[in-house]
Amino acid sequence: MNASHNAPVGVDAADRFRDASFPLIFERAAPGRRAARPPVVDGAPMEELLGEEHLRAQPPGLPEVAELDLVRHYTQLAHRQFSIDGNVYPLGSCTMKYNPKVHEEVAKRFQDVHPYQDEASAQGVLTVLAELQDDLASITGMDTVSLQPAAGAHGELAGILMIRAYHEAKGEGEQRRVVICPDGAHGTNPATASMAGYDVVEVPTGPDGEVDLDAFRAALGPNVAAVMLTNPNTLGLFETRILAIAEAAHAVGAQLYYDGANLNAIVGRARPGDMGFDVVHLNLHKTFTTPHGGGGPGTGPVGVKAHLAPYLPAPLLVRRDDGSVGAEGQRPTAIGRLRSHYGNVGNLVRAWAYIRTLGLEGLRRVSTMAVLNANYLRVSMREAGYQIAFDRVNMHEFVARPPDGLKTLDLAKMLLDYGVHPMTVYFPLVVREAMMVEPTETESIETLDAYAAVLGQVLRDAQRDPSLAHDAPRNTPVRRLDEVGAARRPILRYQVPKA
Amino acid sequence: MPYVPHSDDDVRRALAAIGVDDVEALFADVPEALRDPPIELSAPLDETALLKRVDELAARDRTTGPDFLGGGLRAHFIPSVTPHLAFQSEFVTAYTPYQPEVSQGILQATFEYQTMMCELTGLPASNASMYDGASAVAEAALLAVRQTKRETVLVSRGVHPETIEVLQTYLWPLGIALEVIELEDLTTPVPDVSSEVACVIAQNPSFVGTLEPMRSLADAAHGAGALFVAAVDPLSLAVLASPGEVGADIAVGDGQTLGNPVGFGGPSFGFMVVTEPLLRQLPGRLVGQTTDVDGKRAFVLTLQAREQHIRRSKAKSNICSNHQLTALMATINMAALGPQGLREMAEGSVRRAHQLADALRAAGGDVRTGARFFNEFVLCIDREPATLRRALSERGIRAGVSVPEAFGLGFAVTLATTERTSDDDIAALVSALGDLGVLASARQEVTA
Ligand SMILES: Cc1ncc(COP(=O)(O)O)c(C=O)c1O
């Protein structure tokens, strides 16, 4: 153990950030300490009850820490973390809007129900889920929704598998081998198509930032199973030819898949179901503001048109004749389960609370102000000297890039010193040095002004003195990590000293 | 309007800056035919009304009283300090740690998580989390298929039935065969493993509570060049031989028992820990240690060339968002309890289960177990499990997870205990089952 880690904890956190490596919880441990005490049940020894051969030789090397040390450790770690609650966080494609605190209270009220308890004794949470299922169907313009998938990518898998099952039922399973994605698509789209056993064909983005309709038509054929799109697309532009795209896809028997990551732009104002999409997944951790939690858990419900409903993964919630809510068993044609139980219920109830709080007018206000904010920031960034990839009215996000000669990575690191989080960088892949900005509706105009001012400042600084760009960030707990070294010689765990 | 800060004046100012007359102009790209669809939602509620509605609904859910529900999720002790620390704003409202300079909180906690999972499972490489136990098992099977280039997966009937369903969902589109090893005496027999088999999957303790012959199953898999996947309850590893010790190549499972509430089934998190040679086949995020320009230790997402945002259609999996916050709950919880606390919880659960089994047997219950069981076991009954569950629930007891027909036990349920189970709880269950005639009928059969 490194002696420097034995310094008293939390005496001067700021100094520790600057001078020393921050200790691991293992380095704050000492044998015999502990924080929490479960009830102790006395009785026969494990050798007797379980048999010697089933027991482990050594206890696991978990840390032994006192409660206050535990609290200081994870509190100080939290302080080494940007978040929506602390910082502007306009990550494009991620919809980092404010996560209302009342949702946390709502989630707590349902957290102790067990999925295997008697249905009659779980009518509260089942009612919430049934209502959410209906609300999401109405919001997306689909006929039926399954709440099961655990994230956007999981919803994608559910959706593409349903499409596959549909083609197979029609005897076209062998013939349809291809899924079409735009070249600007999120990585999960092609990865999902592969997991569902399909080959991927990418179609190019046209000069207006939308799917190139001629190239798209040329890629279509009787071998195409599905077309995966998001609308607005990953450049933040509404696909104005969406009805023609849908018609062309359906004309060759392909199914149209809607990646709902960008629904925040149109929620309450337009519906994928009306655009001709056959399947939709939603990222409730985006549009419906369930917290991202540093990477998850998310939730990715899928909605389908009636012709795909036979393939939906159970459990689906149904209202019984006596007015109660129950779970329907797996339909024989279904693609099967994607995970255990009902879904990420803790998040589903938060999304339900959000919809209940806003109603339709509130949701329309969400998309309207999300689009207003994004356009306002686009104009401000242009004025601050950035180039806009497709300079037209955009939806909830847009893609910019720095003037030639400057690197997006440097500017992103410079932003960190101002206490603001950068936008999504280097995505979508179709724009070089991409800066994808999504402010969301919950930021005020003043906040956007301040963000734009910082963007202007870092641009001027970088142009004036390249070393300022190269050396940023200066004030963060750690700076410019050796990522190449991390991958070349992976260290994925701490070597716990063994007694 | 809730959560949207704009005043009318803000909107006017913004529109002027953008150079359009009204907000509708911002939606001009949306074809006319698509605008303003008929969406039916109930009228908005203010916070007071919302919480009132929540209270009304929550009152219809039973969340107290004796609880013997298991089936992969159990209401173990969770110290107050765990959710308090995990649910700090900075952890809850952060995104994936793509900017490591301002994400050391999540990154370091995840590195600690990976280390703890390695310690528990006795294997050297853990990813940052998966969605849940069932999907983690499915991803483990896909990993084995990639690694061995073989196209059959052997799974024990003792694996959670929902997990087997998820395996089917993930394997069919890729044309991978799934074969089930049926149990003998509620225990997985050592199978013949052919040279087509990519992996053998067993769960310990099994769905019916049995401690499986994990070492023999691992040997059988390895003898045929297949991998062995151990699906485990992580809390049990405080006392049970680790997957590493029994020779597993991949340890997977659901982390709920490490400090997440049962939550009506989610979100908990899945975990996956593998041997060194399988490291680069891992799906999902990984956090690695490195140094920064000043030589300080620091943590960063690493080996990303496995993942969808780099490799797209060639990625190891499509997983993007994982279950970081629930994995953080487990990390903090493991640190709060330490090896001693986790051991006490596991041991308490085991002792209570054996007490309950003894009490039921003494009262004439048809208890079934393998040679050894952990904290869950089977009770054969004389009626539909759902009927029994309802009857017990009406007596204030939550118990009786259905054992599916495929186990060949007729009507049967599993009963599970934790360190929180009390003498009174056990007495209440035995007495209720007696009143309902579930035990008496067994006694009559035995004496007849
Ligand atoms: C456009 C798009 N599609 C899909 C996803 C995947 O969603 P998830 O991370 O929930 O799996 C994302 C999330 O980053 C996204 O931005």
Side-chain angles (χ1 to χ4, degrees):
Chain A
M1 202 193 276
N2 183 337
S4 69
H5 296 139
N6 290 334
V9 174
V11 172
D12 187 343
D15 275 354
R16 296 175 67 86
F17 288 2
R18 250 181 260 119
D19 303 335
S21 292
F22 188 85
L24 290 161
I25 188 72
F26 298 91
E27 293 162 341
R28 300 194 195 240
R33 284 193 194 142
R34 67 159 140 167
R37 284 161 204 284
V40 172
V41 183
D42 293 323
M46 290 301 110
E47 291 76 13
E48 197 177 298
L49 295 177
L50 304 179
E52 192 79 52
E53 73 278 16
H54 289 294
L55 302 184
R56 66 187 295 151
Q58 295 290 327
L62 299 172
E64 299 178 73
V65 291
E67 184 150 337
L68 181 54
D69 290 344
L70 178 85
V71 170
R72 293 250 169 83
H73 182 72
Y74 288 103
T75 303
Q76 290 176 5
L77 272 186
H79 294 166
R80 294 161 72 84
Q81 180 66 49
F82 273 19
S83 63
I84 302 176
D85 282 1
N87 314 82
V88 193
Y89 215 131
L91 280 174
S93 209
C94 302
T95 315
M96 296 293 279
K97 62 171 76 176
Y98 170 64
N99 306 141
K101 301 307 167 200
V102 66
H103 296 178
E104 302 306 308
E105 295 309 312
V106 173
K108 275 184 210 152
R109 315 272 174 115
F110 297 108
Q111 73 177 19
D112 296 321
V113 197
H114 195 291
Y116 290 139
Q117 74 189 56
D118 172 37
E119 226 170 65
S121 73
Q123 284 300 304
V125 65
L126 284 167
T127 301
V128 169
L129 298 182
E131 287 184 13
L132 179 65
Q133 217 176 257
D134 294 346
D135 288 352
L136 294 178
S138 186
I139 288 168
T140 55
M142 307 308 278
D143 293 312
T144 320
V145 166
S146 165
L147 301 174
Q148 213 188 35
H154 210 211
E156 290 175 34
L157 183 61
I160 297 297
L161 289 180
M162 283 190 272
I163 289 173
R164 182 158 168 167
Y166 167 79
H167 289 312
E168 287 188 358
K170 292 206 334 185
E172 296 178 4
E174 295 290 309
Q175 154 200 343
R176 298 189 182 273
R177 301 298 323 139
V178 165
V179 169
I180 295 180
C181 302
D183 56 1
H186 193 262
T188 50
N189 293 181
T192 297
S194 285
M195 276 183 96
Y198 285 120
D199 298 328
V200 177
V201 169
E202 289 201 343
V203 293
T205 302
D208 58 356
E210 298 181 36
V211 170
D212 181 329
L213 196 56
D214 291 336
F216 176 70
R217 288 214 167 96
L220 283 175
N223 63 335
V224 177
V227 178
M228 297 181 86
L229 293 177
T230 176
N231 194 20
N233 63 27
T234 58
L235 293 162
L237 303 174
F238 196 88
E239 296 280 356
T240 53
R241 296 179 288 271
I242 187 60
L243 296 172
I245 289 173
E247 198 182 304
H250 288 149
V252 298
Q255 295 285 290
L256 203 57
Y257 183 90
Y258 184 83
D259 175 337
N262 294 343
L263 188 77
N264 209 48
I266 55 170
V267 64
R269 290 182 152 267
R271 307 191 297 185
D274 300 332
M275 298 175 201
F277 286 94
D278 303 289
V279 194
V280 172
H281 91 253
L282 297 176
N283 301 60
L284 298 188
H285 44 302
K286 298 184 179 182
T287 313
F288 297 92
T289 199
T290 73
H292 287 255
T299 306
V302 276
V304 295
K305 293 277 176 64
H307 64 284
L308 293 174
Y311 311 104
L312 274 169
L316 297 175
L317 301 167
V318 289
R319 282 175 218 278
R320 302 246 154 88
D321 291 340
D322 63 0
S324 70
V325 177
E328 190 191 272
Q330 203 71 258
R331 299 172 180 181
T333 44
I335 57 165
R337 278 190 166 277
L338 281 134
R339 52 160 296 156
S340 301
H341 312 300
Y342 296 90
N344 283 342
V345 174
N347 288 340
L348 296 168
V349 301
R350 287 175 170 93
W352 170 87
Y354 186 60
I355 295 170
R356 280 290 158 279
T357 301
L358 293 185
L360 180 58
E361 268 319 297
L363 286 178
R364 285 174 56 89
R365 182 85 174 165
V366 161
S367 51
T368 308
M369 293 301 129
V371 170
L372 181 81
N373 271 359
N375 278 286
Y376 182 73
L377 193 53
R378 171 178 55 86
V379 170
S380 310
M381 267 185 86
R382 191 211 295 137
E383 277 164 16
Y386 291 82
Q387 299 173 9
I388 307 300
F390 297 89
D391 206 355
R392 58 184 243 203
V393 169
N394 54 269
M395 301 300 284
H396 66 306
E397 65 192 0
F398 62 95
V399 179
R401 68 165 90 86
D404 290 343
L406 293 183
K407 284 171 61 189
T408 289
L409 182 70
D410 289 339
L411 294 166
K413 298 299 181 199
M414 293 173 84
L415 290 176
L416 302 176
D417 280 333
Y418 289 88
V420 297
H421 200 281
M423 58 294 285
T424 293
V425 296
Y426 300 102
F427 177 77
L429 308 178
V430 292
V431 176
R432 132 189 94 74
E433 298 292 326
M435 303 177 122
M436 184 194 214
V437 195
E438 180 180 7
T440 83
E441 73 283 359
T442 56
E443 299 296 347
S444 68
I445 294 292
E446 289 88 337
T447 303
L448 300 184
D449 286 341
Y451 195 73
V454 171
L455 281 166
Q457 186 65 44
V458 298
L459 191 71
R460 286 191 296 280
D461 285 348
Q463 281 169 330
R464 178 167 55 82
D465 180 356
S467 77
L468 291 175
H470 183 260
D471 294 345
R474 291 151 195 280
N475 301 322
T476 49
V478 295
R479 315 186 302 121
R480 296 265 182 164
L481 284 70
D482 179 6
E483 301 195 16
V484 174
R488 190 166 294 152
R489 219 174 46 81
I491 303 173
L492 304 177
R493 64 176 168 142
Y494 171 71
Q495 295 291 339
V496 179
K498 290 283 142 84
Chain B
M1 210 51 95
Y3 317 129
V4 180
H6 302 68
S7 66
D8 291 348
D9 193 49
D10 292 334
V11 174
R12 271 193 296 276
R13 231 176 85 211
L15 288 172
I18 298 164
V20 293
D21 293 337
D22 60 16
V23 291
E24 294 310 316
L26 300 173
F27 291 87
D29 281 349
V30 179
E32 199 89 48
L34 298 176
R35 291 190 210 160
D36 304 324
I39 294 173
E40 276 169 40
L41 298 176
S42 52
L45 303 175
D46 63 26
E47 179 161 342
T48 306
L50 174 72
L51 289 176
K52 181 156 175 277
R53 174 86 180 118
V54 167
D55 283 340
E56 281 162 15
L57 288 165
R60 302 173 65 191
D61 296 337
R62 175 176 298 290
T63 55
T64 54
D67 171 11
F68 296 89
L69 293 170
L73 302 173
R74 295 184 305 271
H76 284 281
F77 167 64
I78 302 173
S80 308
V81 74
T82 295
H84 186 88
L85 290 177
F87 278 83
Q88 293 179 89
S89 271
E90 293 89 340
F91 293 138
V92 172
T93 73
Y95 199 69
T96 304
Y98 289 132
Q99 295 288 340
E101 287 90 345
V102 294
S103 305
Q104 287 299 300
I106 298 281
L107 285 162
Q108 178 172 326
T110 305
F111 183 81
E112 294 174 354
Y113 162 83
Q114 290 174 183
T115 305
M116 291 181 197
M117 294 317 293
C118 291
E119 286 296 325
L120 271 185
T121 59
L123 290 170
S126 168
N127 74 5
S129 74
M130 311 289 291
Y131 301 138
D132 76 338
S135 60
V137 170
E139 288 271 15
L142 295 182
L143 191 164
V145 166
R146 284 196 296 278
Q147 177 73 9
T148 61
K149 309 211 165 41
R150 297 178 177 186
E151 303 206 327
T152 299
V153 168
L154 269 187
V155 63
S156 158
R157 174 66 68 201
V159 171
H160 196 299
E162 293 191 19
T163 304
I164 296 181
E165 287 181 50
V166 175
L167 270 168
Q168 276 160 346
T169 308
Y170 274 68
L171 295 179
W172 74 259
L174 303 175
I176 311 294
L178 182 65
E179 292 175 11
V180 179
I181 310 165
E182 295 299 339
L183 303 184
E184 292 170 10
D185 299 329
L186 292 192
T187 307
T188 308
V190 176
D192 287 329
V193 183
S194 80
S195 61
E196 264 100 74
V197 172
C199 65
V200 175
I201 307 174
Q203 179 179 316
N204 195 52
S206 74
F207 177 70
V208 287
T210 306
L211 293 184
E212 297 279 16
M214 297 298 270
R215 286 188 176 86
S216 312
L217 294 170
D219 290 346
H222 292 156
L227 302 183
F228 181 57
V229 178
V232 289
D233 169 1
L235 180 61
S236 76
L237 297 180
V239 297
L240 292 183
S242 70
E245 280 175 288
V246 303
D249 302 279
I250 306 176
V252 276
D254 198 288
Q256 183 271 329
T257 55
L258 290 177
N260 280 283
V262 291
F264 209 51
S268 55
F269 67 96
F271 59 87
M272 185 181 293
V273 197
V274 300
T275 56
E276 207 75 51
L278 301 181
L279 164 60
R280 279 162 209 274
Q281 291 289 357
L282 270 174
R285 295 175 183 143
L286 281 173
V287 172
Q289 180 184 317
T290 187
T291 47
D292 79 346
V293 279
D294 302 318
K296 281 192 231 174
R297 177 174 60 189
F299 302 94
V300 68
L301 292 174
T302 196
L303 299 179
Q304 297 187 64
R306 301 163 297 105
E307 291 184 68
Q308 46 76 30
H309 59 289
I310 309 284
R311 294 282 281 167
R312 300 177 74 81
S313 65
K314 304 274 185 307
K316 305 297 176 199
S317 165
N318 69 343
I319 190 170
C320 178
S321 288
N322 57 14
H323 278 201
Q324 210 60 68
L325 187 65
T326 35
L328 175 69
M329 283 273 278
T331 309
I332 294 173
N333 200 55
M334 282 189 272
L337 288 155
Q340 181 65 20
L342 285 184
R343 187 181 174 87
E344 286 168 0
M345 287 166 65
E347 290 188 353
S349 307
V350 169
R351 290 189 181 122
R352 286 305 191 187
H354 287 73
Q355 288 166 10
L356 176 63
D358 289 347
L360 287 170
R361 280 199 180 106
D366 186 2
V367 170
R368 308 276 184 96
T369 71
R372 300 283 190 175
F373 67 101
F374 197 70
N375 67 338
E376 199 159 16
F377 58 84
V378 172
L379 180 71
C380 285
I381 56 176
D382 61 350
R383 65 200 79 180
E384 290 276 2
T387 312
L388 178 65
R389 258 196 316 274
R390 171 82 36 103
L392 288 171
S393 178
E394 281 160 2
R395 287 167 167 74
I397 298 171
R398 291 187 288 165
V401 173
S402 305
V403 177
E405 259 170 55
F407 284 81
L409 294 168
F411 292 142
V413 293
T414 59
L415 299 171
T417 55
T418 72
E419 71 290 342
R420 295 173 66 212
T421 309
S422 69
D423 288 337
D424 288 349
D425 293 342
I426 290 177
L429 179 63
V430 174
S431 137
L433 288 170
D435 289 351
L436 291 166
V438 174
L439 307 178
S441 64
R443 188 184 300 140
Q444 276 156 16
E445 261 174 60
V446 171
T447 48

